[in-house]
């Protein structure tokens, strides 16, 4: 069979990324231009600044991705571009660029869901992983338990009713003065503490999640007692949210009758969460998670998800594609 070369484009938040991926799983290049340093001083992503920086970066990031992959434009079979969910202005930069390239090169454009991209990151790291499996998508914008029925069919089993788990990590970090983005900083500091702070029960029944209660509880604890040990606070928060993730994931796995569980999204880079899931292997579960660089936003995962859409015939080359900021999965 002929190799299929996908050019992936990702610009949904604060990373401008372009990747070249062969047959959906072999990464030839994955260039990520992060704007973290620019947004750091504002304590979070400023949408207008993100869009402007995507505009400035996208051409050179694409050029670099082609150079690193040692290919030319004529070698690309199709373009996979994130069209949602995300910040509308940021998404529009990638979508417009992808449409222009698709038109100029006369090659198909495959609209790609960012969340499907996070799931597909696992296909790159685990070459033999195939659906069906249960995926725990934990990122700055999403917290979903999804049944991956096949490469393009998904069923949401549970989701957050309020904050995404990454948002909770970032807000906790911000209030205790760790800075932005908070997730990796909480991860690091928690290693020096112990989970000895009692936290109120905010867990819900069923498979949905809620993280705003625990976030508020941590913030209140810190405000009431600014001397409270920050490392213990981080460790207690991390253990608390991990227990919730594990409870719901195991419930969903038992309902589906599956032992195959994949983690995806930026928060799946968290070392405590990973280890806690890996511990389930002793009970016969198979646990998958992407390598760290593929956990957070990148275009290789978009190329992989787009490849599976492309081979299933789900492309759109009529140039009417628009950004959909609240695009859902499933
Ligand atoms: O997947 P991602 O790059 O963007 C979205 O699609 O939302 O996820 C970013 C989120 C941020 O909230 C960041 O703090 C969190 O992932 N994150 C982590 C870690 N690394 C990134 N959270 C906890 N522990 C980490 N090591
Ligand atoms: Zn993401």
């Amino acid at each position: 069979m002929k190799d299929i070369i996908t050019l992936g484009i990702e610009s949904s938040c604060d990373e401008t990324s372009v990747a070249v991926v062969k047959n959906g799983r072999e990464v030839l290049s994955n260039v990520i231009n992060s704007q973290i340093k620019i947004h750091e001083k504002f304590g979070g992503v400023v949408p207008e600044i993100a869009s402007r920086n995507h505009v400035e970066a996208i051409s050179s990031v694409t050029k670099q991705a082609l150079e690193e992959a040692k290919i030319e434009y004529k070698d690309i079979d199709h373009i996979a571009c994130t069209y949602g969910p995300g910040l509308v202005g940021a998404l529009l930069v990638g979508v417009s660029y992808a449409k222009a390239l698709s038109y100029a090169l006369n090659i198909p454009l495959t609209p790609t869901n960012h969340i499907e991209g996070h799931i597909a990151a696992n296909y790159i790291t685990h070459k033999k992983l195939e659906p069906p499996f249960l995926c725990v998508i934990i990122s700055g914008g999403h917290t979903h338990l999804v049944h991956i029925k096949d490469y393009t069919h998904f069923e949401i089993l549970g989701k957050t009713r309020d904050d995404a788990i990454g948002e909770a990590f970032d807000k906790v970090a911000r209030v205790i003065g760790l800075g932005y983005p908070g997730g990796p900083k909480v991860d690091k500091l928690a290693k020096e503490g112990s989970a000895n702070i009692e936290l109120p029960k905010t867990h819900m029944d069923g498979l949905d999640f809620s993280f705003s209660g625990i976030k508020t509880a941590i913030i209140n604890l810190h405000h009431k007692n600014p001397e409270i040990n920050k490392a213990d606070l981080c460790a207690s928060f991390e253990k608390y949210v991990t227990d919730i993730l594990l409870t719901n994931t195991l419930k969903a796995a038992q309902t589906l009758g599956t032992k195959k569980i994949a983690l995806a999204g930026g928060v799946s880079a968290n070392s405590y969460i990973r280890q806690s899931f890996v511990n389930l292997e002793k009970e016969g579960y198979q646990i998958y998670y992407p390598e760290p660089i593929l956990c957070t936003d990148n275009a290789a995962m978009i190329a992989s998800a787009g490849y599976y859409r492309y081979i299933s015939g789900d492309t759109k080359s009529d140039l009417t594609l628009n950004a959909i900021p609240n695009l859902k999965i499933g």
Side-chain angles (χ1 to χ4, degrees):
M1 218 170 75
K2 181 192 171 298
D3 287 334
I4 292 175
I5 300 288
T6 306
L7 184 80
I9 300 180
E10 156 63 33
S11 71
S12 66
C13 191
D14 58 346
E15 264 93 28
T16 319
S17 181
V18 179
V20 179
V21 173
K22 189 159 107 180
N23 299 329
R25 298 211 183 205
E26 191 184 331
V27 179
L28 303 185
S29 67
N30 187 21
V31 180
I32 304 166
N33 183 69
S34 173
Q35 303 177 10
I36 282 181
K37 284 271 164 283
I38 298 167
H39 298 282
E40 213 168 22
K41 55 180 172 290
F42 304 107
V45 178
V46 183
E48 177 62 20
I49 296 177
S51 313
R52 284 165 193 265
N53 280 281
H54 285 309
V55 171
E56 280 179 25
I58 196 145
S59 301
S60 55
V61 170
T62 305
K63 189 164 171 270
Q64 194 183 335
L66 292 177
E67 278 168 14
E68 285 184 16
K70 299 190 175 51
I71 66 155
E72 295 175 27
Y73 283 116
K74 67 170 173 46
D75 302 318
I76 305 169
D77 291 291
H78 76 122
I79 299 164
C81 174
T82 304
Y83 73 114
L87 302 168
V88 67
L91 287 164
L92 276 171
V93 177
V95 167
S96 311
Y97 193 79
K99 287 201 287 191
L101 264 186
S102 157
Y103 181 71
L105 302 173
N106 195 24
I107 53 173
L109 174 56
T110 309
T112 305
N113 183 315
H114 181 82
I115 310 173
E116 286 181 32
H118 277 301
I119 299 164
N122 279 288
Y123 300 138
I124 297 173
T125 302
H126 308 284
K127 304 292 181 218
K128 296 212 164 83
L129 175 65
E130 281 181 19
F133 57 90
L134 174 65
C135 192
V136 189
I137 306 170
I138 40 178
S139 76
H142 320 280
T143 311
H144 286 333
L145 271 176
V146 183
H147 179 202
I148 314 300
K149 295 179 168 179
D150 65 37
Y151 287 103
T152 56
H153 291 93
F154 311 93
E155 184 191 357
I156 299 184
L157 305 171
K159 60 179 184 317
T160 181
R161 299 268 182 100
D162 41 56
D163 291 353
I165 187 169
E167 241 176 300
F169 266 94
D170 292 340
K171 283 190 189 148
V172 165
R174 190 169 166 178
V175 90
I176 64 173
L178 299 183
Y180 169 86
K185 291 177 174 144
V186 170
D187 189 349
K188 195 162 166 236
L189 189 57
K191 291 195 173 98
E192 295 166 26
S194 56
N196 55 11
I197 297 174
E198 204 181 319
L199 296 167
K201 292 276 160 275
T202 60
H203 192 33
M204 330 178 41
D205 292 333
L207 295 177
D208 278 351
F209 301 94
S210 166
F211 293 107
S212 72
I214 183 62
K215 178 197 72 187
T216 309
I218 298 274
I219 293 170
N220 286 343
L221 274 171
H222 179 256
H223 284 325
K224 272 193 211 132
N225 176 12
E227 302 305 312
I228 198 163
N229 185 299
K230 289 181 185 175
D232 290 348
L233 204 56
C234 288
S236 305
F237 166 75
E238 229 176 48
K239 178 173 185 322
Y240 187 93
V241 295
T242 306
D243 286 348
I244 292 174
L245 285 177
L246 285 170
T247 304
N248 286 17
T249 304
L250 289 177
K251 247 190 267 175
Q254 275 148 20
T255 308
L256 291 179
T258 185
K259 292 260 171 186
K260 232 162 129 182
I261 299 171
L263 301 175
V267 181
S268 66
N270 183 276
S271 45
Y272 182 79
I273 294 177
R274 282 182 175 208
Q275 191 51 52
S276 306
F277 274 84
V278 167
N279 289 344
L280 295 175
E281 287 176 348
K282 290 185 215 113
E283 293 164 41
Y285 286 91
Q286 293 153 258
I287 306 297
Y288 302 88
Y289 48 82
E291 57 212 91
I293 192 69
L294 297 175
C295 285
T296 44
D297 292 349
N298 68 91
M301 69 181 198
I302 301 302
S304 177
Y307 164 84
Y308 288 105
R309 286 273 168 203
Y310 176 72
I311 59 171
S312 75
D314 202 356
T315 51
K316 183 178 173 130
S317 306
D318 59 6
L319 303 184
T320 60
L321 181 65
N322 204 354
I324 304 184
N326 58 355
L327 184 67
K328 304 277 182 287
I329 184 174

